[in-house]
Amino acid sequence: DAGVIQSPRHEVTEMGQEVTLRCKPISGHNSLFWYRQTMMRGLELLIYFNNNVPIDDSGMPEDRFSAKMPNASFSTLKIQPSEPRDSAVYFCASSPYPGQGTEAFFGQGTRLTVV
Amino acid sequence: ILNVEQSPQSLHVQEGDSTNFTCSFPSSNFYALHWYRWETAKSPEALFVMTLNGDEKKKGRISATLNTKEGYSYLYIKGSQPEDSATYLCGSQGNLIFGKGTKLSVKP
């Protein structure tokens, strides 16, 4: 397996534009996580899916952020409208099921810059 | 403890020193405790996943212990090397919430 695949690797966009980040988890993994890396909070959990269903979205910063997982092999994180303070590295991770002692595997991340 | 907390925030040691860090986590409704190693400009990679009270795991010079009753875990590095320089993350529960990490710098 190629691992968790995120696209794009880098995204530069203007304030107010819509941004969509994509993630393909490892085949067979039941859980998918979206994180944001910030100086203040470190690796911050945004949302967690289990079997394509959002289980915990309490980390989504505000209504401008939304995430979907239409099937087991694809997830998106959308920011609309984007703001400069959204600039960060966004990571996606997948796991068979972390609550049962299985590790999570991270994608390479998407570096988002909003100007 | 409501969140995962790690200490110290950063640590500077000399090559050859042994060191350890602490992770505190909510002890109620415990599922699993994860340790990850995160090098700069890379993605986090799993070191250990522990589920049982009293668990001890080892990978080379790195080892970890777990106390689920009091809600803490220790990560030990024996004979630190410059390549051990990284941020070490601790994560807990099914939704894998991480602490802010301990940034280790090992000077040659």
Side-chain angles (χ1 to χ4, degrees), chain A:
Chain A
D1 200 310
V4 176
I5 300 173
Q6 291 187 245
S7 63
R9 291 292 306 276
H10 303 272
E11 176 80 35
V12 180
T13 190
E14 291 186 348
M15 182 174 64
Q17 295 297 306
E18 176 180 296
V19 175
T20 300
L21 311 182
R22 296 173 175 79
C23 176
K24 182 181 187 305
I26 293 173
S27 176
H29 283 191
N30 297 321
S31 297
L32 184 140
F33 308 84
W34 281 101
Y35 293 93
R36 178 170 67 175
Q37 179 188 0
T38 64
M39 290 292 291
M40 289 293 292
R41 299 185 183 183
L43 199 60
E44 177 186 17
L45 178 67
L46 300 177
I47 188 168
Y48 157 47
F49 292 88
N50 194 39
N51 293 323
N52 311 337
V53 176
I55 303 299
D56 182 359
D57 65 355
S58 59
M60 296 287 264
E62 48 196 276
D63 291 346
R64 297 185 297 107
F65 285 69
S66 62
K68 294 182 179 180
M69 193 164 185
N71 56 62
S73 59
F74 184 65
S75 177
T76 59
L77 178 68
K78 186 177 292 187
I79 308 173
Q80 166 63 19
S82 57
E83 297 182 2
R85 61 194 168 116
D86 301 330
S87 299
V89 180
Y90 291 80
F91 286 98
C92 175
S94 72
S95 172
Y97 184 57
Q100 292 180 350
T102 55
E103 65 185 82
F105 295 82
F106 283 78
Q108 293 301 303
T110 294
R111 180 175 293 277
L112 173 64
T113 303
V114 183
V115 297

Side-chain angles (χ1 to χ4, degrees), chain B:
Chain B
I1 297 172
L2 300 179
N3 298 313
V4 177
E5 297 174 359
Q6 293 187 245
S7 64
Q9 186 174 349
S10 63
L11 196 55
H12 298 265
V13 302
Q14 288 293 132
E15 181 176 355
D17 287 351
S18 293
T19 187
N20 64 84
F21 338 125
T22 304
C23 173
S24 301
F25 56 87
S27 55
S28 59
N29 299 318
F30 175 80
Y31 292 109
L33 191 284
H34 297 237
W35 280 102
Y36 286 75
R37 182 170 179 273
W38 191 9
E39 291 184 68
T40 302
K42 293 188 177 180
S43 304
E45 293 184 348
L47 284 172
F48 306 112
V49 180
M50 297 185 286
T51 56
L52 299 176
N53 184 44
D55 251 357
E56 291 189 26
K57 293 206 171 181
K58 187 175 181 181
K59 186 181 288 188
R61 295 179 291 99
I62 304 177
S63 60
T65 60
L66 178 66
N67 183 321
T68 61
K69 294 184 178 180
E70 296 183 35
Y72 65 83
S73 174
Y74 294 130
L75 187 78
Y76 301 91
I77 301 179
K78 184 178 178 180
S80 302
Q81 300 296 309
E83 57 264 32
D84 296 329
S85 298
T87 296
Y88 291 82
L89 295 173
C90 167
S92 178
Q93 309 300 32
N95 55 358
L96 203 47
I97 291 175
F98 288 102
K100 292 183 180 180
T102 293
K103 186 173 183 178
L104 174 67
S105 298
V106 182
K107 291 185 178 180

